[in-house]
Amino acid sequence: MEVTARSPSARPAGTLTLPDGRTLSWGRTPRVMGILNLTPDSFSDGGLWREPEHAVAGALEMLDRGADVIDLGAESTRPGGGVYGDGARTVPAPEELDRLLPVLRPLRRATDAPISVDTRKGSVAAAVLAEGADLINDVAALEDPAMGRAVAEAGCPVVLMHSRGELATMQERIAFDDVVAEVRRELGRAVERARTAGVADEQIVVDPGIGFGKTGAQNLALLRHLPALADLGFPLLVGASRKSFIGEITAAPADRRLAGSLAAAAWAADAGVALLRVHDVEETARFLKVWAAIAESADGRLRPSPEGACRAPEEVPKC
């Protein structure tokens, strides 16, 4: 069954309710989700955060530098069949939890900031939600029926990401007649799975899955036409940071794709997305401050924040 599109909001603005009653809200400017991969093999930062103490310190530093949400991942979802060769291996649930829990537990004690966990497994989601995780970021969009049950029982937000095929081969046989229309339709089906599992509409976020089973040109088309996906009536998350299509355009390796990542962030922000999932937290947060100041300024005058950065005109007096 295809989801019925709701009228697009006049915002963009919205709120997700976290399991303990805290909220995650956004307005004209997207919230920044900082990526913390607890893996040895992620495409950009594999192995960087393998020690739990180091990972917790890294997450807290991301929050200090402008992250609104921390996204913990303990299984690489690097897609195979393209520039990443065979892609990432599937990690058994016990191994995934062995990586996650030694970081999640002390991080939860150290901060009230929202913590997301990037997992495809319902058993992992249930375990991390019991340990204080706030939302689940599911690249498989509830393919695992246990995931829908875990999310519904916790009453937490869930990100439903679009992809096609198995991770190991999804870049081999890419076939879309109309990538925007088909991604929109298939995200609608994911929303219906969530509804059937008992997930409330107001707790659903959708993600077009940049880089997952798409060509570089198709990734660009999705970014350009994000408003068509927003017409589904659900907040959008975009994760274009350091993706291979940026490397195709710029010939830059993964750790030198900041400029391209910010270009994608600009399109996403202009489309009114709720969340940007990024590696370069501080640079993205600063970019969004300036972007928002330009977008919201009525008279072109620069407004300093108390820290010396610029904020929207109504927030502080004239320089």
Side-chain angles (χ1 to χ4, degrees), residues 52-210:
E53 297 84 356
H54 186 204
V56 172
L60 295 174
E61 184 176 6
M62 284 185 186
L63 292 170
D64 285 343
R65 294 187 174 191
D68 300 295
V69 184
I70 297 297
D71 191 42
L72 301 178
E75 178 186 48
S76 174
T77 51
R78 185 179 72 253
V83 297
Y84 300 119
D86 293 335
R89 75 177 183 91
T90 298
V91 175
E95 182 178 348
E96 193 173 349
L97 285 169
D98 283 346
R99 295 174 181 177
L100 281 166
L101 294 181
V103 177
L104 174 60
R105 288 168 175 155
L107 182 59
R108 179 75 293 161
R109 291 192 295 268
T111 181
D112 288 331
I115 301 173
S116 166
V117 172
D118 181 350
T119 184
R120 300 179 287 163
K121 304 180 187 70
S123 61
V124 172
V128 298
L129 288 166
E131 294 285 351
D134 294 304
L135 59 151
I136 297 298
N137 183 11
D138 183 5
V139 302
L142 306 191
E143 251 181 31
D144 180 358
M147 178 66 83
R149 292 193 296 271
V151 168
E153 288 172 9
C156 73
V158 63
V159 179
L160 305 175
M161 194 198 81
H162 178 273
S163 66
R164 278 186 179 177
E166 297 296 322
L167 275 173
T169 58
M170 65 172 51
Q171 293 301 111
E172 287 180 355
R173 290 179 294 276
I174 300 170
F176 288 95
D177 292 323
D178 182 334
V179 67
V180 177
E182 290 171 53
V183 167
R184 186 182 186 282
R185 182 168 59 248
E186 289 165 25
L187 283 174
R189 292 173 184 159
V191 167
E192 289 299 338
R193 287 196 295 275
R195 287 173 169 167
T196 300
V199 180
D201 276 15
E202 57 268 23
Q203 296 290 68
I204 295 173
V205 178
V206 296
D207 176 351
I210 301 297

Side-chain angles (χ1 to χ4, degrees), residues 242 246 252-264 280-281 283-284:
R242 300 187 185 179
I246 298 172
D255 62 354
R256 298 190 65 186
R257 294 176 185 167
L258 173 60
S261 299
L262 293 179
D280 302 292
V281 164
E283 293 86 350
T284 304

